[in-house]
Amino acid sequence: WPATFKPTGIEKYDGESDPKTWLRTYSIAVRAARGDNDIMAAYFPVMMGPQALNWLEALPAGSINRWQDLCDAFVQYYQASCPGPKTRWDLASVK
């Protein structure tokens, strides 16, 4: 990493939170530390919890060619497990 690269305020991704929100926070923190897309991609595994790191390591070779590919694959995989907004139906079933 560049000598001045010291991102702060990022928690490791645990697979439980909204991946889009986490990526936004991650991107802001890396850019604030003067990182670019290449550094974001290289530093990404460091910020993965064990479950997310297993997902990352299981990606097929050659399936990620740029930062946006990684973001898209990450969101696609983890968005399904992220709790969505509550609906009227959810509220009606609360007793």
Side-chain angles (χ1 to χ4, degrees):
W1 320 119
T4 60
F5 183 71
K6 293 179 177 50
T8 60
I10 316 166
E11 293 187 22
K12 287 191 176 204
Y13 188 76
D14 59 6
E16 301 290 321
S17 59
D18 181 352
K20 288 180 184 178
T21 301
W22 185 88
L23 272 175
R24 203 172 304 119
T25 302
Y26 174 74
S27 296
I28 290 168
V30 170
R31 292 209 186 277
R34 305 209 187 274
D36 58 15
N37 285 359
D38 291 338
I39 291 175
M40 273 192 263
Y43 196 67
F44 192 78
V46 174
M47 297 309 303
M48 297 289 101
Q51 176 189 355
L53 190 56
N54 286 338
W55 164 80
L56 183 62
E57 291 174 345
L59 287 172
S63 64
I64 304 296
N65 296 308
R66 58 194 178 101
W67 171 242
Q68 192 58 51
D69 294 343
L70 182 55
C71 291
D72 293 345
F74 178 73
V75 169
Q76 182 178 355
Y77 185 83
Y78 281 104
Q79 192 67 53
S81 64
C82 178
K86 300 299 181 193
T87 64
R88 287 183 183 184
W89 173 258
D90 295 327
L91 293 175
S93 64
V94 174
K95 304 219 186 254

